[in-house]
């Protein structure tokens, strides 16, 4: 059988449990404090933005590498057969834009 507890033991147990309850209530108070909640939300948002930015960087880097591969060979030398047509189209577009802007002014 279990031993009977003395009033002093019971009182000490009550004091210990009150202290534990006070610590628990303090922790809940900190967790529910508006600044803590705002800080948690900011941290989650920053994490989401960082993750999205990381994915975007990887995707952009992959696309840039793919496009670069279209205009540069494995040795890093430019592929003239692909660069010349692109340059001609770019010059034509710029020329059309210049002609169009002069017509609007005049």
């Amino acid at each position: 059988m279990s031993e009977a507890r003395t009033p002093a033991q019971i009182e000490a147990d009550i004091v210990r449990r009150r202290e534990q309850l006070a610590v628990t209530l303090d922790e809940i108070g900190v967790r529910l404090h508006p600044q803590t909640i705002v800080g948690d939300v900011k941290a989650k948002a920053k994490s989401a933005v960082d993750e999205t930015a990381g994915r975007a960087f990887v995707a952009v880097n992959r696309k840039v590498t793919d496009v670069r591969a279209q205009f540069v060979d494995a040795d890093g030398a430019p592929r003239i057969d692909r660069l010349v047509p692109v340059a001609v189209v770019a010059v034509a577009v710029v020329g059309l834009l210049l002609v169009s802007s002069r017509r609007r002014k005049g």
Side-chain angles (χ1 to χ4, degrees), residues 28-106:
I28 290 171
V30 168
R31 289 180 188 171
L32 295 178
H33 193 277
Q35 287 179 338
T36 304
I37 293 170
V38 168
D40 290 347
V41 170
K42 283 182 181 179
K44 286 179 184 177
K46 183 181 182 312
S47 175
V49 167
D50 288 347
E51 183 178 335
T52 302
R55 286 184 187 163
F57 176 79
V58 169
V60 167
N61 193 25
R62 186 177 299 130
K63 291 296 180 185
V64 167
T65 301
D66 292 347
V67 169
R68 184 175 185 272
Q70 297 296 317
F71 297 103
V72 178
D73 63 16
D75 298 329
R79 296 178 72 176
I80 302 299
D81 60 320
R82 293 195 178 174
L83 285 174
V84 171
V86 171
V88 169
V89 169
V91 169
V93 168
V94 169
L96 288 174
L97 290 174
L98 287 174
V99 168
S100 175
S101 68
R102 286 186 183 167
R103 285 186 183 169
R104 288 182 189 163
K105 289 180 183 179

Side-chain angles (χ1 to χ4, degrees), residues 1-6 9-10:
M1 291 195 173
S2 64
E3 294 181 29
R5 294 179 4 172
T6 66
Q9 291 171 326
I10 294 171

